[in-house]
């Protein structure tokens, strides 16, 4: 790969002392491509005004800026040569797609271009765009069936889990569906208060208890109410927990078992990830996936991040679909993820 060919292995060795071989290489590549991008571009990231419609085109300003700068340069080239593919690699790495997924995309796109004897940069970028779209899983529809639909939300602290739950509640209340929110986060001060405020605002119902209560007992009460009144959508909040803390992971597994006492009620286990954490979000999804068997990802704060390429890494490396994305601060700004809109916004 051209990535490997461009490395100064003396400098990589210094990074390796601090973070292992893979970590050393990754740290060096990230530094190198960010430095080159900074030197070669005078463009600034475009923000997304809150008055704009909630679309990928309008709200992915920072990640789009990273792509746009490189795309302009690539389209100005006279032919598809090795430097063209180096530019594509840099563009993806700058957006935090990561080495593994970047290499997969570039190798597949280059192979297709070679097969088709593509020499036009415009035609090559069309192929790159098709490969990007091909990374995504086919099935990503949020699971809503007849009967009880319980969604369990997990994730680390500070990723926007409670707010994401509230916005999903708002999404389904606008469709006139019955929604119950269960405040299973009894650890964080005012978490239940926050959810109750959102319940009042959206017209959803809530089951909550006091701070410090046993979260499994709160979820038990929630399931009792859900079964009695047959809510269409039941959204269960849980306390933020580090994926490395086994006792906290056991607690959320206990909550899952409480939900599963009602046959076929648990439809989704969704991890909420802050898009601005980039590759660290990939680690979180992998760890929670192994422990909980997650069915999808809610990616918050995608509009404010220049690391929007993490979407591709999650889908390619974990095979887990992104189901919802946060594109702003408003209560209507969490929307179902549309891969085609995402790729069209980045490569336009």
């Amino acid at each position: 790969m051209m990535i490997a060919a461009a490395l100064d292995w003396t400098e990589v060795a210094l990074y390796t002392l601090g973070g292992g071989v893979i970590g050393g290489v990754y740290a060096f590549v990230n530094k190198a491509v960010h430095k080159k991008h900074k030197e070669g571009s005078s463009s600034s990231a475009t923000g997304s005004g809150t008055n704009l419609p909630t679309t990928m085109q309008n709200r992915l300003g920072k990640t789009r800026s990273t792509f746009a700068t490189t795309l302009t340069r690539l389209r100005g080239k006279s032919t598809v040569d090795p430097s063209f593919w180096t530019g594509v690699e840099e563009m993806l790495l700058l957006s935090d797609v990561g080495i593994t997924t970047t290499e997969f995309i570039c190798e597949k796109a280059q192979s297709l271009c070679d097969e088709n004897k593509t020499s036009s940069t415009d035609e090559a970028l069309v192929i790159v765009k098709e490969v990007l779209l091909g990374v995504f899983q086919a099935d990503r529809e949020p699971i809503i069936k007849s009967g009880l639909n319980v969604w369990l939300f997990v994730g680390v602290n500070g990723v926007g889990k409670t707010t994401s739950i509230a916005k999903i509640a708002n999404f389904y209340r606008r469709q006139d569906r019955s929604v119950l929110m269960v405040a299973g986060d009894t650890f964080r001060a005012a978490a239940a208060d926050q959810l109750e405020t959102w319940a009042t605002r959206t017209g959803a119902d809530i089951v909550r208890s006091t701070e410090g209560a046993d979260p499994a007992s709160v979820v038990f009460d929630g399931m009792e109410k859900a079964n009695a009144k047959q809510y269409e959508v039941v959204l269960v909040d849980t306390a933020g927990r580090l994926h490395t803390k086994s006792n906290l992971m056991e607690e959320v597994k206990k909550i899952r078992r409480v939900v599963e006492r009602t046959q076929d009620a648990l439809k989704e286990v969704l991890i909420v990830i802050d898009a601005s954490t980039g590759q660290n979000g990939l680690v979180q999804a992998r760890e929670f996936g192994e422990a909980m068997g997650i069915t999808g990802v809610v990616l918050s704060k995608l509009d404010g991040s220049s690391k929007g390429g993490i979407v591709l890494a999650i889908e390619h490396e974990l095979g887990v679909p992104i189901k919802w994305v946060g594109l702003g601060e408003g209560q209507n700004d969490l929307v179902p993820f549309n891969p085609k809109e995402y790729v069209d916004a980045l490569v336009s």
Side-chain angles (χ1 to χ4, degrees), residues 214 216-217 219 249-259 261 292:
D214 176 24
S217 69
V219 175
M249 293 302 287
E250 286 303 316
E251 182 182 275
V252 79
K253 287 179 184 178
K254 181 180 177 182
I255 291 172
R256 177 175 182 149
R257 289 194 294 271
V258 170
V259 174
R261 289 176 186 172
M292 295 293 299

Side-chain angles (χ1 to χ4, degrees), residues 4 22 27 50 66 93 112 121 128 133 144 151 153 162 178 203 210 224 231 314 328 333:
I22 295 175
T50 55
T66 301
L93 288 171
L112 289 171
T121 55
V128 170
L133 193 56
I144 298 285
W151 295 3
F153 292 80
T162 302
S178 57
T210 57
E224 289 277 288
Y231 288 89
I314 290 171
D333 289 341

